[in-house]
Amino acid sequence: MLRVYNTLSRRLEVFSPLNPGTVLMYVCGPTVYDYTHVGHARTYVAFDVIKRYLRLKGYDVVHVQNITDIDDKIIRRSREEGRSWREVADEFTRDYLEVLEKLNIKVDLHPRVTEHISEIIEFIGLLLEKGYAYVAPSGSVYFDVDSYGDYGRLSGRLSKEEWGQEQEYVKEKKHPYDFALWKAAKPGEPWWESPWGPGRPGWHIECSVMATLYLGERFDIHGGGSDLIFPHHENERAQSEAALGVKPWVRYWLHTGMLTVEGQKMSKSLGNIVPLKDLFREWQPEVVRLWLATVHYRSVVNFSDASLHQAGRNYERLANAVQALQEVLRKEEYSFKLSDEGRKLLREMARLRRGFYEAMDEDFNVSKAFSYVYELTSIVFSRILEKPEAAVALRALALLEEFNKVLGVLDKFFSRAPPLPLDQLIELIVEVRKRLRKAREYELADWIREQLLKQGVRLYDRGEETVWRLL
RNA sequence: GCCGGGGUGGCCGAGAGGCUAAGGCGGCCGGCUGCAGACCGGCUUAUUCCCGGGUUCGAGUCCCGGCCCCGGCUCCA
């Protein structure tokens, strides 16, 4: 039985989706005004892990993650760089999609705000019609927070003094805590035609509109970074429940913990923002993903060289375990009777599998769950490879493949259909090197090892024998 | 100030009333070894879980009171 922490109730709740067997999930994606950084990745990987676990449990998950491609920061950047807002948005959208691909995150749908202007206008119209919004003299439309009645509960801000936002419009708003649904265009700004004059959507409305359009008027999981709880999600909740007349609009609000860099907040002023495109130059995407995937989604993650390094070691060990097992299956005859040790190992693996699911069921406790994965790799090296039995190796491999459904870092080892011609070429080179070593031609042998490493093939000599592993 | 989350071995991080407090990283020693790495074994590695009280037969785990850290509170994943 899966339990999740709901920000709205501030407690663990039994997870039970609207429609049994299906999970509708909306995650707040980026505003594309700059390169995607590790903080974004932290959130996207966390929700990808959640989605993958739900799928492993048998749910059909629909994952929508928006792209906000019009906003003040995009406009500012386009002015600074003398190009159109669309060029800016396109460039960073491309970067974002590349990052997701490298991190092995597959989102079902990435709706872009500017492709949904008419739906947004319609939604705002509905709010006006029902009396939850008003048009200001400038042509901007604001949400009337007082008309909603349940504002502040998500963020735990129950007094109006804590609601202040969008100070720049304070003179034309009824209350300082009202927020813009539609922003009237100022000279030189991009605009779309609307019943209230030329303008563009406010920041919060797009998520309400696109979530409703693609998931329906009610859905299961709404996620994002915990910095979005106020005002973004508070506002989404208010305008959606008001316009659609549903309650609760979202069943489970899930928020990820923030990322710090060497113990400090990541910010422009500290100059410590780490773009993924830079990080990938130093660490392979699988390592970055493993690092983020094995941290609990609600805790603060600290970016440091040591933590990436640890993930790198863990990745190598997992990759080695999988490949070593595959090698056993290539070489060992299938046995039709298991040894006592073999039967014991099967029982232990069943225990690890159970442990993994129990941990994940408790609000996606990945740290605990992955302790079982690492325990499995330890069993692989210390016991299974000691006295290999094909059936046991096969079981261990199947289990690793199952765990990888959530981890998502070992795909390339499982998607390979060995032996490929490439494998035979590598083996040929390894054999040549073996003969060189025998002839004590170490300089050349070491050179071959170096060159293969550059191609992503690492060699390990074990006495006379040499094994090779892909990175 | 307000709203959250925390303080467990050198580091990361499980454990949330009851067997000897997971797992990993790093370091050291040994095995293997032309070198490197990988892998194996051992040690570092917790009479102890920030401090002080309390509840209990029994508390990292629950309660009370402190101290400290991190994040959010204009825009932010």
Side-chain angles (χ1 to χ4, degrees), chain A residues 5-126:
Chain A
Y5 183 89
N6 189 346
T7 304
L8 186 62
S9 64
R10 286 177 198 17
R11 58 172 60 110
L12 289 176
E13 296 178 9
V14 172
F15 183 73
S16 141
L18 208 53
N19 302 301
T22 303
V23 176
L24 305 172
M25 175 167 105
Y26 186 92
V27 178
C28 282
T31 300
V32 282
Y33 69 100
D34 207 341
Y35 292 107
T36 311
H37 58 63
V38 267
H40 297 115
R42 188 265 179 283
T43 294
Y44 306 148
V45 170
F47 282 104
D48 185 62
V49 165
I50 286 171
K51 171 182 68 186
R52 283 162 171 267
Y53 182 64
L54 291 169
R55 286 197 176 145
L56 189 59
K57 299 247 316 170
Y59 290 108
D60 177 25
V61 184
V62 183
H63 176 187
V64 176
Q65 192 161 299
N66 69 290
I67 296 170
T68 298
D69 61 352
I70 187 70
D71 105 309
D72 292 348
K73 292 188 290 298
I74 294 170
I75 293 169
R76 193 187 331 127
R77 184 154 187 156
S78 75
R79 276 192 188 138
E80 282 165 11
E81 300 183 350
R83 51 183 177 154
S84 72
W85 65 268
R86 192 176 283 282
E87 279 178 275
V88 171
D90 283 350
E91 179 186 351
F92 298 116
T93 296
R94 223 175 297 121
D95 175 71
Y96 162 70
L97 294 174
E98 270 172 33
V99 164
L100 289 193
E101 172 142 16
K102 286 215 170 85
L103 289 174
N104 198 13
I105 297 171
K106 292 178 184 75
V107 171
D108 296 309
L109 190 67
H110 297 278
R112 281 176 71 146
V113 177
T114 57
E115 304 286 331
H116 296 80
I117 300 292
S118 61
E119 289 84 353
I120 289 171
I121 289 172
E122 214 173 294
F123 199 96
I124 295 171
L126 191 61

Side-chain angles (χ1 to χ4, degrees), chain A residues 155-192:
Chain A
S155 55
R157 295 165 184 236
L158 298 173
S159 72
K160 297 183 175 184
E161 290 73 54
E162 305 170 69
W163 295 348
Q165 57 185 314
E166 299 188 348
Q167 309 299 340
E168 67 272 32
Y169 305 110
V170 80
K171 28 339 164 186
E172 69 169 5
K173 293 195 289 188
K174 276 197 207 163
H175 301 288
Y177 43 78
D178 290 345
F179 56 90
L181 298 167
W182 185 259
K183 292 183 175 182
K186 292 183 205 116
E189 285 184 350
W191 55 270
W192 286 262

Side-chain angles (χ1 to χ4, degrees), chain A residues 160-418:
Chain A
K160 297 183 175 184
E161 290 73 54
E162 305 170 69
W163 295 348
Q165 57 185 314
E166 299 188 348
Q167 309 299 340
E168 67 272 32
Y169 305 110
V170 80
K171 28 339 164 186
E172 69 169 5
K173 293 195 289 188
K174 276 197 207 163
H175 301 288
Y177 43 78
D178 290 345
F179 56 90
L181 298 167
W182 185 259
K183 292 183 175 182
K186 292 183 205 116
E189 285 184 350
W191 55 270
W192 286 262
E193 202 46 73
S194 84
W196 321 288
R200 62 191 157 92
W203 173 35
H204 318 288
I205 192 69
E206 84 268 21
C207 288
S208 292
V209 173
M210 298 190 298
T212 304
L213 185 64
Y214 295 109
L215 298 177
E217 296 195 351
R218 301 179 65 196
F219 57 98
D220 301 301
I221 294 176
H222 192 132
S226 54
D227 52 348
L228 296 182
I229 297 172
F230 188 89
H232 188 53
H233 287 168
E234 194 72 73
N235 292 351
E236 281 186 46
R237 176 172 177 263
Q239 69 202 3
S240 299
E241 295 193 343
L244 304 169
V246 295
K247 202 174 189 83
W249 175 51
V250 167
R251 289 173 80 81
Y252 306 96
W253 289 92
L254 269 46
H255 292 97
T256 53
M258 296 286 96
L259 178 134
T260 56
V261 174
E262 304 287 356
Q264 284 185 304
K265 162 184 182 168
M266 185 169 67
S267 72
K268 274 227 164 91
S269 54
L270 287 168
N272 59 357
I273 291 176
V274 183
L276 269 298
K277 66 179 173 64
D278 293 348
L279 193 59
F280 287 150
R281 276 200 274 273
E282 216 177 322
W283 298 97
Q284 61 185 115
E286 288 89 343
V287 170
V288 175
R289 180 177 165 101
L290 185 67
W291 165 54
L292 293 171
T294 50
V295 177
H296 183 78
Y297 76 95
R298 283 193 286 125
S299 37
V300 174
V301 191
N302 187 38
F303 172 86
S304 70
D305 208 56
S307 56
L308 264 305
H309 184 254
Q310 183 166 332
R313 296 275 300 124
N314 287 335
Y315 171 69
E316 191 182 346
R317 199 167 157 82
L318 285 169
N320 283 345
V322 170
Q323 295 179 81
L325 290 168
Q326 288 171 333
E327 199 175 71
V328 167
L329 293 177
R330 280 201 298 276
K331 292 181 177 165
E332 287 297 315
E333 292 286 322
Y334 195 85
S335 51
F336 293 94
K337 185 178 182 185
L338 281 183
S339 65
D340 290 350
E341 169 74 352
R343 292 204 310 278
K344 210 161 148 188
L345 284 167
L346 291 189
R347 275 198 302 278
E348 281 186 45
M349 286 193 273
R351 171 181 65 84
L352 297 178
R353 182 173 185 276
R354 211 177 316 119
F356 179 88
Y357 280 93
E358 279 168 10
M360 289 301 286
D361 270 353
E362 200 61 18
D363 196 29
F364 312 105
N365 189 341
V366 290
S367 316
K368 193 177 180 188
F370 287 109
S371 72
Y372 296 106
V373 179
Y374 297 132
E375 218 177 305
L376 177 60
T377 60
S378 176
I379 285 176
V380 168
F381 290 121
S382 65
R383 295 168 62 191
I384 297 178
L385 296 177
E386 277 300 291
K387 189 176 161 293
E389 290 181 88
V392 177
L394 191 64
R395 185 72 201 108
L397 200 57
L399 199 50
L400 278 168
E401 190 167 11
E402 191 171 338
F403 291 157
N404 184 58
K405 290 267 188 339
V406 176
L407 264 184
V409 297
L410 301 170
D411 295 13
K412 69 175 163 211
F413 305 114
F414 289 111
S415 61
R416 285 161 48 83

